[in-house]
Amino acid sequence: MPSGWVSASGTFESNKPDIRRVAVFDQVFDLPLHPLVVHATVVFIPLAGLLGVLLVVPRTRSWARLPLLLVSLAAAASAFVARESGQSLLIAISATAPPEELRVAAEHEQDGDRLFYITLAYALVAVIAYIVSAPGKTLYRGALGIVLSVLLVVGAGALIVQSVITGHSGATAVWNHDGTIDYST
């Protein structure tokens, strides 16, 4: 379910509670938090995917276990903060932004929601993989290991693809919301 829409009058209408009551997601050092925290998600999310693939490889499994767990949890946390701060920023700009910019920003918000849920699911798989792949445990072998390996590899792909989609819609919202700028040379 979309979390908001642009009304016929061109204003952003949200069906979510006003999160501006949580000031921690608004600004840091007088700058919007969202563009700052997005840098963490851009690093942690693809890195979590790469570490998940490394966990699948038996030779690198013992090395990748703990980094996968920590980076996946950091990716989920940064995706949560990016999502909440993005919603706060969207509410803040909704009074003054043109309708087309709001439409593109609302699309970016929906892409960000999808990325958050994918990242959260991936972190859950990473926690399970960490537990069952502990040294001396044989749980990672057999059907459970195959299922976790498939989930880690497919999840890594989903993380990368949705990160690109979300990043593209965010860049479009900021740099070319009406599609009139040609950046080619």
Side-chain angles (χ1 to χ4, degrees), residues 141-159:
R141 297 180 193 153
L144 181 59
I146 293 170
V147 169
L148 285 173
S149 294
V150 168
L151 288 174
L152 286 169
V153 171
V154 170
L159 285 174

Side-chain angles (χ1 to χ4, degrees), residues 56-147:
V56 170
V57 178
R59 185 177 199 156
T60 56
R61 184 170 300 140
S62 64
W63 174 87
R65 266 183 84 242
L66 184 59
L68 171 62
L69 175 69
L70 297 176
V71 171
S72 295
L73 294 174
S78 67
F80 172 76
V81 175
R83 177 179 178 242
E84 294 300 313
S85 63
Q87 291 169 351
S88 182
L89 181 59
L90 183 58
I91 290 168
I93 68 166
S94 65
T96 58
E100 183 60 22
E101 186 176 335
L102 289 175
R103 184 192 65 75
V104 175
E107 287 176 13
H108 173 61
E109 179 192 26
Q110 292 173 0
D111 292 338
D113 284 345
R114 277 187 222 97
L115 181 58
F116 169 68
Y117 292 120
I118 291 169
T119 305
L120 195 60
Y122 194 81
L124 178 63
V125 172
V127 168
I128 295 168
Y130 176 80
I131 292 168
V132 303
S133 66
K137 289 194 175 183
T138 59
L139 292 173
Y140 201 81
R141 297 180 193 153
L144 181 59
I146 293 170
V147 169

Side-chain angles (χ1 to χ4, degrees), residues 147-174:
V147 169
L148 285 173
S149 294
V150 168
L151 288 174
L152 286 169
V153 171
V154 170
L159 285 174
I160 303 285
V161 168
Q162 191 60 39
S163 291
V164 169
I165 290 169
T166 304
H168 182 267
S169 67
T172 300
V174 171

